[in-house]
Amino acid sequence: KYRLSIDDNIRFLQDIAANANTYTSIFENPFLQGLKKLNEKFQTKIHINLFYQSVDEKFTLSDFPDTFRKEWEENAHWLRMSFHAYKEFPDAPYKNATFDTVKKDCGLVMREIKRFAGNALLGPVTTVHWGEVNIEGSRAMRAAGYKGQLGYFNVDDDQPAVSYYLNVEQRRHMKKRFIWKDVSEDIVFIRSSLVLDRTKNEDIVSNMEAYATSPSGLPPYVDYLIHEQYFYPDYGAYQPDYFEKIETAVQWAKHNGYEPAFLDECIFK
């Protein structure tokens, strides 16, 4: 199975809110429209991790209208939303945060998703911003219902760890497994298969095929990760082939026998 996971989301919601009096559908927003076309073509299931507040601090999820709730619910079979962080900066905001801090921010985001989109858009999986949180933070997310927590789990290299509270040996174990449960905390960790905005379009297929000859082999569950901001021309690191990269990755998954599915449909039954 596979899914598309998108981090750092807030701008598309800010746009819909700003145009709430003219948009007759959430899919008039260009970003969400692109995701819907992807689903229509490949049936891809898409998970969106949300900030509560925009970078310019002029918008929060509390400002988003509930007038589109029925449309959100009609698309819940392929679209999910979850907590990511209060806002984009500072980096790794929960690395040393308390249980109560993470609980508060997580609750803010989840409450607003329920209000404007309904419970059907929620699920038991998320990715915390930067994938860095201490054990108290992971416990707070688990208490909120997020028993699946996704990261990179880098180790023995110069890349950011993006590994929650896991120690070096646990991260090495994750590198072999893709999916691993910390039974003492009742938390399932999932390793992202490929970060698309860090990979050139022409390198996506070779990166995925390299798994076949690696010790871990092909992922049992492919999680493609990309970040929202690379879609926008005014972003400093704008990637004009944003959706082309996603389609290249999804086509590889389809060609190799992977079917679209949310994580909870596979590992929490």
Side-chain angles (χ1 to χ4, degrees):
K1 313 295 184 183
Y2 83 97
R3 72 167 186 172
L4 174 67
S5 176
I6 309 174
D7 280 358
D8 295 1
N9 294 273
I10 191 70
R11 289 186 59 164
F12 79 94
L13 292 171
Q14 188 173 12
D15 172 72
I16 296 170
N19 293 281
N21 293 327
T22 56
Y23 284 177
T24 58
S25 166
I26 55 176
F27 298 110
E28 288 185 58
N29 167 263
F31 181 73
L32 211 51
Q33 184 180 97
L35 297 181
K36 191 171 191 296
K37 288 180 178 177
L38 186 77
N39 170 261
E40 289 171 345
K41 186 173 182 178
F42 297 102
Q43 293 75 55
T44 304
K45 298 201 175 185
I46 300 169
H47 188 119
I48 299 174
N49 298 299
L50 301 180
F51 291 133
Y52 177 74
Q53 185 181 73
S54 61
V55 173
D56 61 13
E57 300 185 353
K58 295 179 180 179
F59 173 78
T60 71
L61 296 184
S62 299
D63 300 317
F64 194 85
D66 61 4
T67 51
F68 298 103
R69 178 167 173 157
K70 184 174 184 293
E71 190 173 28
W72 286 113
E73 291 176 334
E74 289 171 348
N75 289 277
H77 61 285
W78 66 271
L79 192 61
R80 292 274 174 86
M81 291 188 287
S82 65
F83 163 72
H84 193 49
Y86 186 87
K87 59 182 179 180
E88 184 171 0
F89 300 108
D91 295 339
Y94 303 117
K95 191 168 186 177
N96 300 301
T98 64
F99 180 99
D100 288 342
T101 296
V102 177
K103 177 183 177 182
K104 174 177 174 290
D105 290 357
C106 187
L108 275 174
V109 173
M110 293 181 71
R111 182 188 69 215
E112 296 305 326
I113 293 171
K114 290 178 184 178
R115 177 188 62 81
F116 71 75
N119 290 336
L121 271 289
L122 291 169
V125 177
T126 195
T127 307
V128 74
H129 192 31
W130 279 82
E132 293 292 347
V133 66
N134 57 30
I135 195 166
E136 289 300 315
S138 269
R139 285 171 176 167
M141 291 192 295
R142 178 65 185 88
Y146 291 124
K147 53 186 175 181
Q149 301 176 19
L150 187 131
Y152 302 172
F153 306 98
N154 290 320
V155 65
D156 300 321
D157 55 32
D158 58 358
Q159 300 299 314
V162 194
S163 59
Y164 296 78
Y165 60 83
L166 272 61
N167 61 35
V168 169
E169 289 309 311
Q170 288 171 324
R171 281 151 52 197
R172 285 177 179 151
H173 190 60
M174 274 297 298
K175 278 292 188 181
K176 300 175 184 177
R177 295 185 61 90
F178 287 101
I179 299 171
W180 173 73
K181 183 176 183 178
D182 181 347
V183 293
S184 64
E185 298 295 333
D186 193 28
I187 298 171
V188 176
F189 292 101
I190 306 99
R191 178 157 68 97
S192 178
S193 304
L194 192 66
V195 184
L196 300 178
D197 49 69
R198 296 177 61 183
T199 310
K200 293 180 180 179
N201 191 21
E202 59 267 28
D203 295 333
I204 289 172
V205 169
S206 60
N207 270 264
M208 291 306 300
E209 291 183 346
Y211 278 123
T213 57
S214 70
S216 56
L218 287 174
Y221 186 97
V222 166
D223 184 276
Y224 290 126
L225 176 63
I226 198 165
H227 296 73
E228 184 198 13
Q229 55 266 49
Y230 293 93
F231 171 73
Y232 301 98
D234 64 353
Y235 183 62
Y238 167 58
Q239 296 184 2
D241 59 349
Y242 187 92
F243 274 101
E244 292 174 31
K245 292 168 95 172
I246 294 174
E247 187 157 330
T248 296
V250 168
Q251 284 179 327
W252 181 91
K254 182 178 180 180
H255 180 74
N256 284 272
Y258 287 85
E259 298 176 353
F262 288 119
L263 269 160
D264 60 284
E265 296 171 330
C266 305
I267 61 177
F268 298 133
K269 292 293 186 183

